[in-house]
Amino acid sequence: SHKDIKPTMATTSNNNPSTITPHNMHVKICNAGDYQRVARSILPTPLYEYLASGTDDEQTLSENESAFKAWYLRPRVMRPVGSISTVTTLFGQRLSMPVFVSPAGVHALCDEVHGECAAARACGKVGTIFGLSQHATRSIEQVAEATQGNANLWYQSYILKDREMTLRLARRAAKAGYRGIFLTVDSVRFGFREAE
C-alpha cells in the first residue's frame, strides 16, 4: 500500500538526488508513453510501481489503455487555421482544453513540500479542472487556499459507511469553493496490488 512508501525527492537514474526541472531534465517528451519512461528512470522503484501499476491482474488497467488507444484525433484539412481553439464546455463550465486532472491520492509521495497544491495551481494556470482525491495528502481547504480562487476545483467523494461523514466532506468542499463532485461508487474494497 502507499502507506509503506516514503515521500521522496525525484532522483536521477544513478540515484543522485536531483530536483527535476525543464531546465536540467533535457528529455524529449513526444507522447504519453514518454512520461512513463521518464518516471521509471527518476522515481524510486517502489514509488514507480505504486503509481504505474493496477490491482490484481491489472485487467482494468489494460482495458483502459486499450480504450484510450481507440480514440483518434481527426485531422481536418483544407480549412482555415488562423483561429484554432481547444476550449470546450463540461457541465456548463468553460475549460481551456478537453483534458483535466483526475483525482489521484497521495501526491506528496512525489512532491513532499506541495503535494496536491502544485497540481491544482498548474490546472488553474492552464484553465482546466483539478480533481482532489479523498485520499489526498493536503486538506480540501489547503488546496483551495493554495489556488487563491484561480482554479476549477472538484472533489472526489466515496460513499462511506458513515453517510454523515460523506455529507460533511462534500459540504466542506462546497464551502471551500469546489465546483463539482466526482462521486466514486465502485470501490467497496481496495484491490490487491501485486507490483508492490
Side-chain angles (χ1 to χ4, degrees), residues 55 60 64 156-160 182-191:
T55 59
T60 302
N64 286 343
Q156 177 199 32
S157 180
Y158 289 85
I159 302 293
L160 304 172
F182 290 109
L183 187 60
T184 301
V185 297
D186 64 347
S187 294
V188 294
R189 72 169 186 84
F190 290 111

Side-chain angles (χ1 to χ4, degrees), residues 118-137:
R121 282 192 297 265
C123 286
K125 284 182 183 177
V126 299
T128 196
I129 292 172
F130 173 77
L132 182 69
S133 170
Q134 188 166 306
H135 298 292
T137 52

Side-chain angles (χ1 to χ4, degrees), residues 5-195:
I5 301 170
K6 301 279 188 268
T8 183
M9 284 178 54
T11 58
T12 58
S13 56
N14 61 4
N15 290 322
N16 292 326
S18 171
T19 301
I20 304 301
T21 69
H23 304 292
N24 69 3
M25 198 154 155
H26 305 297
V27 175
K28 188 174 184 180
I29 302 288
C30 296
N31 58 54
D34 289 342
Y35 285 103
Q36 191 148 355
R37 181 180 50 79
V38 170
R40 183 187 303 258
S41 72
I42 64 173
L43 294 175
T45 300
L47 178 55
Y48 173 79
E49 288 176 351
Y50 171 73
L51 296 171
S53 68
T55 59
D56 298 316
D57 61 3
E58 298 186 331
Q59 181 175 343
T60 302
L61 177 62
S62 176
E63 289 180 12
N64 286 343
E65 289 172 348
S66 293
F68 189 74
K69 288 177 183 176
W71 287 90
Y72 294 91
L73 295 177
R74 184 177 57 176
R76 295 183 180 188
V77 297
M78 302 296 291
R79 296 180 184 226
V81 293
S83 178
I84 297 173
S85 174
T86 59
V87 171
T88 191
T89 303
L90 180 66
F91 302 123
Q93 298 179 31
R94 185 178 186 274
L95 305 180
S96 65
M97 64 185 111
V99 176
F100 61 87
V101 174
S102 298
V106 296
H107 283 214
L109 292 176
C110 295
D111 184 348
E112 191 174 356
V113 176
H114 303 286
E116 290 78 7
C117 296
R121 282 192 297 265
C123 286
K125 284 182 183 177
V126 299
T128 196
I129 292 172
F130 173 77
L132 182 69
S133 170
Q134 188 166 306
H135 298 292
T137 52
R138 299 297 181 268
S139 73
I140 292 167
E141 295 80 9
Q142 285 174 314
V143 173
E145 279 180 35
T147 64
Q148 300 175 336
N150 295 321
N152 187 345
L153 301 175
W154 285 45
Y155 180 69
Q156 177 199 32
S157 180
Y158 289 85
I159 302 293
L160 304 172
K161 286 181 184 177
D162 181 345
R163 299 296 199 259
E164 283 301 313
M165 174 61 81
T166 303
L167 191 55
R168 281 195 302 273
L169 289 168
R171 286 181 175 149
R172 276 178 55 197
K175 183 178 179 184
Y178 287 65
R179 299 180 190 173
I181 299 284
F182 290 109
L183 187 60
T184 301
V185 297
D186 64 347
S187 294
V188 294
R189 72 169 186 84
F190 290 111
F192 176 70
R193 299 176 72 92
E194 294 178 21

